[in-house]
Amino acid sequence: MASDKFVARHIGPREQEISEMLKKIGVSSVDELVDQTVPENIRLERPLQLEDGLTERQYYRKILGLAKKNKVFNTYIGMGYYDTITPAVILRNVLENPVWYTSYTPYQAEISQGRLEALLNYQTMVCELTAMELANASLLDEATAAAEAMIMMSNARTREKAKAGANVLLVDQQIWPQTLDVLKTRAVPLEIELKVLDVADFQFTDEVIGAMVQYPNANGEVVSYAGLVEKAHAADAKVAVAADLLSLAILIPPGEWGADMVFGSSQRFGVPMGYGGPHAAFFAARDAYKRIMPGRIIGVSKDQHGNRALRMALQTREQHIKRERATSNICTAQALLATMAGFYAVYHGPEGICQIADRIHCIAALLEKEITALGYLQLNRNYFDTIRFALPKYVKREDIEWLSLELEMNFRYFENGEVGLSIDETTNLDDINWIIEVFAKAANKPFPRIRQYPDGCTIDANLMRNSAFMQQEVFNKYRSETEMVRYIKKLEHRDISLTHSMIPLGSCTMKLNAATEMLPLSWIEFGGMHPFVPKNQARGYHEMMEELRRDLAEITGFADVSLQPNSGAAGEYAGLMVIREYHLSRGDHQRNVVLIPASAHGTNPASAVMAGMEVVVVPCDERGNVDLDALRQNAEMYKETLSAFMVTYPSTHGVFESSIIEMCDIIHQNGGQVYMDGANMNAQVGLTNPKRIGADVCHLNLHKTFAIPHGGGGPGVGPIAVAEHLVAFLPSHPVMNNGHIGITAVSAAPWGSASVLPITYGYIKMLGADGLKRATEIAILNANYIAESLKSTYGILYTGENGRVAHEMILECRHLKAESGITEADIAKRLMDYGFHAPTLSFPVHGTLMVEPTESESKHELDRFIEAMDSIYQEIQAIMAGKLDKADNPLKNAPHTAEAVTSDAWAHPYSRQQAAFPLNWLKENKYWPPVGRIDDAFGDRNLVCTCASTESYQ
Ligand SMILES: *Cc1c(COP(=O)(O)O)cnc(C)c1O
């Protein structure tokens, strides 16, 4: 009988398969396997106190009920968030399409050409609108992008300034309050001094590294900063501009003044407000800064056949290479949202974007005229979308407030009593009339009825953009929906996602992102909410978030949770800053050393450096475990200055280290706090928890363990959970009371990326306590089944005391390289010919592959993967035996494109059949890699990060 329990859909293997797998492993039950895997002394003493799992239908009703408790008003608050129209063709074919949302960050470029092109379009759009030379493929939000710009300016100081210790950043006082708050958080540990001033008062003295201005500014005023840029450059200082991307369609873009960096949010390019996120922040800079630019950059290169091919450029800048020398900790960003914004630009094109921007401005201008006629005073001399009114004496602000709420509208209320309106793409004739009605009724005056969209621009001619933009073919070709859907499909067909095959990426937990979990994302009740509306309009959100925080606290064993950080790395940073504040509160100002095992993910040391801490690397022993003696020695040596220990558990080596409690004790005995990197939480839920192992704070990657999809490199959500003594230090927010009163904000939005939280909420509600535990157990079962199947060929690098792995394992490939010349990268590329995404390459151990199957994969799929790995192993054996050529073989030439395999000229010593169909089942489901092996070095030497205008898109 079919079960309607969600757990049976979430988990891959059927009961019969589980028995077969246990037999292969050589244990009699899942419990026995778990007992051999998870050390006794860290097991939970009681089951999770969560409700039983709901069926999918029950959950659907529940989340629908919560959605209905959100009241979606027309919101004119602005402040970085604007209502927008997601073209349905993008909503349905991108946001709701698992090929786009379940794919991984495009590290394996040959099977990621579709999303790489979508992101290249995004970068091109950003460069064109800002008039800058280089853009990245997104950052987490506008406020953290500002922090990245600040750090970049500090790193770009001239030698003289650096020597003199210049450290002052001039900040426009008219910058969003949330941006300023995050700047404050990020500046303090790096000893950058912020001087927040009226731009007119900026003085470029010797200690100034740069200036940051907002355009249009927080009042909505448009001012040219051309003169400021000149003054700054004359004093060897940089200028970073926070810009409204849409406004740049009609305003002179900062690149034309010579700005050094331009950043902001691309939310209003078709991405719903979502009560604060997720949205893609854009970041553009001049070419001179390409080596210190944060984030992922998509670049153009060529493949082995000389054809154009895309890949991620300049990766040596990134935290996974630079570690404690990194200048940014960013890893997961906002790829899916950047993809959407890029498609929005493709669909509308330059004339469409101009029309949208023009209409917004004209509506604002009309409202200025009509409302001024009622006796109000409009204060912005030049504006794009935002007008600001001083009220006449006979009007009470409270009247405007209740009249607007009556008509389901939210206006912006300045502290000095002024009232603001930011117009957006959705504002229509009815809205215009309702707005006028409110101002007229509050003034007790009659009001006209507006029957026609206005035209007429009020911006000074010398502020208006004259230059063309987005002239590339891709932005001028797809206007009908038919053309657009085919373009999206064309790109989609180039990529491997979870809809094709398992993605066995160790540490990344590519599990099911269930359709029922995803459905609410498209609902206006979640998408249409501005993050700064009165809380009583967002009751559904708050009920959901309260419950989610409670559930995550229960799962981690901790006292409270902050949902604010937008990625795992952002969570690490937030957690370390919480620890820092805790030490400060106790007068321990000197505690700034962080011990980090050599096996840690690159974000750990990078985040520690961003938090102003000194990183001390702790070695691992020959069994892959943290060297306990070395840990003790270091903890004792630094006992006066020890701040924290960052540890991933189970370890990045895929092992439950049995000494974890002892490790945490050592740290505590020496005055430090334990930060647990929660990326491997999928091996813990329901069996153990961070509190139980002795940690004080952890982050959770909701986009790994808790079912939020990877989206090709984001969104991510990285909440932090903390023990009781750290609750008082959790991040607050300058605009909305988010229930926490600790450090200043770490993200722009009060609750981070709220609109994707229903995914995790649904995951927990539908699995329930038993299902969550079962998911963990089967994740461990699946990993041990693969380990058992591949240990006699590749070999498993590290195991626990009983020879078991946790939820992932490292496959040894170094001996193969030594004997055959075949590298782990060759194996990764060859897997593409078998229709698989490679496992994690060379992390955490160089020359190896790390495999994590997750609980969502069935035995059938695991067997296919094992067969492919075995088949590749046989190919390597054939090379060693001289049966295949050492240089010209299916591995070195992988992946094989359809074009190469069907070419009239086939000069290889192995057959076409072996190249493309090495296993029988490929005949019924063949994925053809769209390009051959990509030349990374060529692309880095000849950096091109936009689609050239001459390019032909067939
Ligand atoms: C994924 C991962 C991170 C970083 O998380 P992001 O969400 O990408 O910032 C940190 N540590 C480990 C072990 C990870 O696997």
Side-chain angles (χ1 to χ4, degrees):
M1 198 185 73
S3 162
D4 65 350
K5 285 214 156 191
F6 176 68
V7 65
R9 301 295 186 191
H10 176 76
I11 285 175
R14 304 297 94 186
E15 288 305 320
Q16 176 59 35
E17 293 177 329
I18 290 173
S19 310
E20 290 162 26
M21 290 159 74
L22 290 168
K23 206 156 166 201
K24 167 101 191 175
I25 296 168
V27 289
S28 60
S29 68
V30 172
D31 285 344
E32 187 184 340
L33 175 63
V34 170
D35 288 344
Q36 291 180 7
T37 306
V38 187
E40 171 75 36
N41 65 341
I42 60 164
R43 295 289 293 274
L44 293 185
E45 283 145 353
R46 58 163 177 80
L48 291 175
Q49 316 262 293
L50 301 169
E51 293 115 276
D52 292 341
L54 301 177
T55 66
E56 292 182 64
R57 184 169 170 75
Q58 285 169 332
Y59 175 68
Y60 187 87
R61 304 294 294 225
K62 184 181 174 83
I63 194 72
L64 191 63
L66 288 175
K68 286 187 176 146
K69 294 188 186 175
N70 291 333
K71 299 277 169 270
V72 185
F73 288 12
N74 282 343
T75 297
Y76 303 99
I77 293 173
M79 298 182 76
Y81 304 92
Y82 308 87
D83 207 355
T84 178
I85 299 168
T86 311
V89 64
I90 296 174
L91 180 74
R92 172 149 294 199
N93 295 289
V94 182
L95 183 63
E96 296 180 340
N97 179 343
V99 177
W100 288 100
Y101 67 71
T102 69
S103 58
Y104 183 64
T105 312
Y107 281 106
Q108 294 296 326
E110 292 85 354
I111 48 121
S112 311
Q113 290 295 300
R115 52 195 188 273
L116 284 162
E117 179 164 326
L119 292 171
L120 191 75
N121 292 344
Y122 174 81
Q123 289 179 181
T124 307
M125 165 193 85
V126 169
C127 286
E128 292 283 310
L129 281 164
T130 56
M132 300 296 281
E133 290 157 344
L134 188 65
N136 71 18
S138 77
L139 292 175
L140 295 173
D141 62 23
E142 177 163 347
T144 55
E148 301 282 355
M150 168 181 77
I151 294 164
M152 231 172 116
M153 286 192 269
S154 176
N155 291 322
R157 285 178 301 185
T158 58
R159 192 162 306 158
E160 295 73 43
K161 291 222 170 197
K163 234 199 230 146
N167 71 336
V168 171
L169 178 68
L170 306 174
V171 182
D172 184 354
Q173 64 185 17
Q174 290 302 329
I175 201 165
W176 302 132
Q178 66 271 24
T179 303
L180 182 59
D181 217 46
V182 172
L183 281 176
K184 284 180 184 162
T185 312
R186 300 284 297 265
V188 168
L190 300 178
E191 294 178 349
I192 295 173
E193 188 191 334
L194 303 180
K195 284 199 173 152
V196 184
L197 299 163
D198 191 312
V199 178
D201 299 331
F202 281 9
Q203 300 283 341
F204 289 96
T205 49
D206 287 345
E207 70 272 21
V208 172
I209 55 173
M212 187 177 288
V213 292
Q214 186 167 306
Y215 177 74
N217 76 16
N219 280 334
E221 184 80 53
V222 179
V223 182
S224 170
Y225 296 115
L228 180 86
V229 170
E230 214 171 292
K231 253 173 50 190
H233 286 175
D236 279 335
K238 314 286 184 263
V239 176
V241 181
D244 178 324
L245 199 58
L246 187 57
S247 75
L248 303 185
I250 56 175
L251 299 176
I252 292 180
E256 293 181 13
W257 315 318
D260 298 281
M261 295 138 213
V262 186
F263 63 89
S265 170
S266 58
Q267 180 265 314
R268 64 196 308 186
F269 280 60
V271 179
M273 290 183 286
Y275 207 46
H279 320 123
F282 69 86
F283 195 99
R286 296 206 280 131
D287 189 67
Y289 304 123
K290 65 188 174 204
R291 306 226 168 256
I292 53 170
M293 176 113 158
R296 292 163 179 153
I297 302 174
I298 311 306
V300 182
S301 189
K302 58 179 189 180
D303 75 357
Q304 70 200 90
H305 312 296
N307 295 321
R308 176 181 182 269
L310 309 177
R311 26 54 98 194
M312 298 209 290
L314 302 176
Q315 287 198 37
T316 47
R317 300 165 301 117
E318 294 192 42
Q319 41 69 29
H320 61 271
I321 307 283
K322 283 210 162 166
R323 305 181 70 86
E324 58 270 20
R325 290 180 302 110
T327 49
S328 166
N329 65 343
I330 184 130
C331 181
T332 290
Q334 302 281 18
L336 185 67
L337 303 312
T339 293
M340 287 176 68
F343 276 131
Y344 179 94
V346 166
Y347 197 41
H348 286 298
E351 76 285 1
I353 301 282
C354 271
Q355 271 169 22
I356 292 166
D358 268 336
R359 206 180 80 162
I360 286 172
H361 173 68
C362 291
I363 292 174
L366 171 88
L367 287 169
E368 173 183 31
K369 183 165 136 258
E370 296 299 335
I371 296 170
T372 306
L374 297 165
Y376 296 80
L377 182 62
Q378 203 286 117
L379 297 160
N380 286 336
R381 168 74 193 84
N382 283 289
Y383 53 84
F384 162 56
D385 63 350
T386 300
I387 39 183
R388 186 166 58 104
F389 293 98
L391 312 187
K393 282 208 181 61
Y394 49 86
V395 171
K396 288 214 288 280
R397 192 181 107 164
E398 299 79 63
D399 288 342
I400 295 196
E401 203 161 345
W402 74 259
L403 282 162
S404 59
L405 288 172
E406 198 91 317
L407 289 169
E408 306 205 331
M409 295 190 292
N410 295 305
F411 296 168
R412 177 171 169 202
Y413 301 99
F414 290 85
E415 268 171 30
N416 64 1
E418 291 158 12
V419 178
L421 295 170
S422 292
I423 303 309
D424 62 58
E425 184 189 0
T426 69
T427 311
N428 63 28
L429 274 178
D430 285 337
D431 302 329
I432 295 170
N433 282 300
W434 286 325
I435 292 170
I436 295 171
E437 182 178 332
V438 168
F439 282 89
K441 283 187 171 162
N444 213 0
K445 293 200 174 163
F447 52 94
R449 171 131 202 107
I450 308 296
R451 295 178 195 284
Q452 243 187 1
Y453 279 109
D455 50 26
C457 174
T458 63
I459 305 172
D460 284 354
N462 63 1
L463 294 170
M464 300 282 287
R465 180 171 190 147
N466 290 314
S467 52
F469 59 90
M470 281 165 42
Q471 299 299 298
Q472 293 84 354
E473 189 172 356
V474 70
F475 299 116
N476 293 281
K477 197 167 171 185
Y478 307 106
R479 291 292 176 274
S480 72
E481 181 167 333
T482 303
E483 282 292 321
M484 186 65 189
V485 81
R486 286 183 191 147
Y487 178 57
I488 294 172
K489 289 289 156 186
K490 180 179 100 172
L491 298 193
E492 176 183 325
H493 290 149
R494 296 182 175 179
D495 286 7
I496 282 186
S497 72
L498 281 175
T499 64
H500 297 87
S501 48
M502 70 185 281
I503 300 185
L505 280 163
S507 214
C508 299
T509 315
M510 302 292 288
K511 61 167 63 177
L512 171 74
N513 316 114
T516 300
E517 291 155 4
M518 295 296 293
L519 288 174
L521 241 70
S522 308
W523 299 349
I524 190 171
E525 291 87 348
F526 288 115
M529 302 289 294
H530 189 290
F532 302 158
V533 299
K535 272 194 198 166
N536 62 13
Q537 292 172 27
R539 291 214 170 95
Y541 259 120
H542 286 282
E543 216 173 286
M544 189 247 320
M545 293 193 296
E546 282 305 305
E547 229 179 298
L548 182 59
R549 273 170 54 197
R550 264 208 315 276
D551 289 353
L552 293 176
E554 168 65 16
I555 287 167
T556 55
F558 283 134
D560 200 358
V561 170
S562 165
L563 298 169
Q564 210 180 73
N566 287 327
S567 72
E572 291 167 16
Y573 178 79
L576 290 173
M577 290 300 285
V578 163
I579 289 174
R580 181 178 179 278
E581 202 63 23
Y582 167 76
H583 287 312
L584 291 177
S585 77
R586 294 157 49 93
D588 282 344
H589 297 269
Q590 76 293 356
R591 292 202 174 271
N592 74 331
V593 169
V594 191
L595 305 181
I596 301 180
S599 58
H601 193 271
T603 52
N604 289 192
S607 298
V609 171
M610 293 297 110
M613 297 180 178
E614 185 194 329
V615 175
V616 174
V617 178
V618 182
C620 293
D621 64 21
E622 72 286 353
R623 300 193 53 221
N625 299 325
V626 173
D627 183 330
L628 214 57
D629 290 333
L631 182 72
R632 186 174 289 110
Q633 274 168 21
N634 275 302
E636 285 169 2
M637 179 154 74
Y638 292 104
K639 72 167 186 269
E640 299 303 325
T641 52
L642 184 61
S643 176
F645 173 48
M646 291 184 93
V647 63
T648 307
Y649 200 76
S651 72
T652 55
H653 290 158
V655 174
F656 281 100
E657 287 164 273
S658 49
S659 57
I660 186 67
I661 291 191
E662 203 178 340
M663 291 185 221
C664 295
D665 283 346
I666 291 171
I667 298 305
H668 288 140
Q669 279 155 17
N670 290 285
Q673 293 279 292
V674 177
Y675 183 97
M676 193 198 84
D677 178 330
N680 289 344
M681 199 65 198
N682 212 44
Q684 287 196 32
V685 178
L687 300 177
T688 180
N689 68 37
K691 176 86 167 81
R692 182 86 176 93
I693 68 167
D696 302 285
V697 45
C698 74
H699 77 256
L700 301 171
N701 302 67
L702 299 192
H703 48 298
K704 294 178 180 173
T705 311
F706 293 94
I708 292 180
H710 277 251
V717 180
I720 54 170
V722 299
E724 194 68 52
H725 63 286
L726 297 177
V727 171
F729 309 106
L730 286 173
S732 60
H733 193 271
V735 182
M736 299 297 288
N737 173 0
N738 69 355
H740 294 130
I741 51 160
I743 59 171
T744 43
V746 297
S747 299
W751 301 277
S753 292
S755 73
V756 291
L757 294 176
I759 303 170
T760 294
Y761 180 73
Y763 176 79
I764 294 171
K765 293 297 151 195
M766 290 193 287
L767 281 181
D770 292 347
L772 285 167
K773 175 158 170 266
R774 187 68 177 164
T776 311
E777 291 168 348
I778 302 302
I780 292 172
L781 173 74
N782 279 1
N784 278 284
Y785 178 70
I786 293 184
E788 200 61 34
S789 305
L790 295 178
K791 74 175 185 195
S792 61
T793 49
Y794 294 86
I796 309 304
L797 188 52
Y798 299 121
T799 56
E801 283 173 1
N802 300 313
R804 301 298 174 205
V805 298
H807 66 312
E808 62 189 2
M809 82 227 65
I810 298 175
L811 298 182
E812 185 54 277
C813 305
R814 292 171 295 192
H815 58 294
L816 298 173
K817 182 180 175 187
E819 292 164 42
S820 69
I822 295 298
T823 65
E824 71 283 6
D826 295 327
I827 297 171
K829 302 303 172 194
R830 182 60 174 153
L831 270 169
M832 297 170 181
D833 287 330
Y834 290 81
F836 283 107
H837 190 294
T840 300
L841 208 64
S842 285
F843 171 77
V845 180
H846 206 78
T848 66
L849 294 170
M850 182 157 63
V851 177
E852 178 182 1
T854 83
E855 69 279 9
S856 298
E857 299 301 339
S858 68
K859 175 169 181 294
H860 173 73
E861 185 66 0
L862 301 181
D863 286 340
R864 272 194 345 113
F865 176 71
I866 291 163
E867 241 185 278
M869 289 301 291
D870 278 341
S871 175
I872 290 171
Y873 187 77
Q874 295 311 321
E875 291 172 350
I876 298 170
Q877 296 301 308
I879 294 168
M880 289 181 194
K883 290 186 210 140
L884 279 172
D885 189 81
K886 251 189 146 45
D888 189 355
N889 61 56
L891 281 119
K892 285 290 175 199
N893 294 332
H896 295 83
T897 63
E899 191 185 355
V901 171
T902 57
S903 160
D904 289 341
W906 177 263
H908 304 296
Y910 55 97
S911 72
R912 293 167 144 117
Q913 166 107 11
Q914 187 173 1
F917 295 98
L919 287 174
N920 235 341
W921 42 254
L922 284 166
K923 290 176 187 159
E924 67 175 51
N925 192 7
K926 174 69 183 173
Y927 166 84
W928 286 103
V931 296
R933 182 99 49 114
I934 295 174
D935 186 340
D936 281 322
F938 177 84
D940 278 355
R941 275 197 314 273
N942 307 280
L943 191 66
V944 176
C945 299
T946 55
C947 35
S949 47
T950 52
E951 211 128 74
S952 150
Y953 287 82
Q954 333 71 17

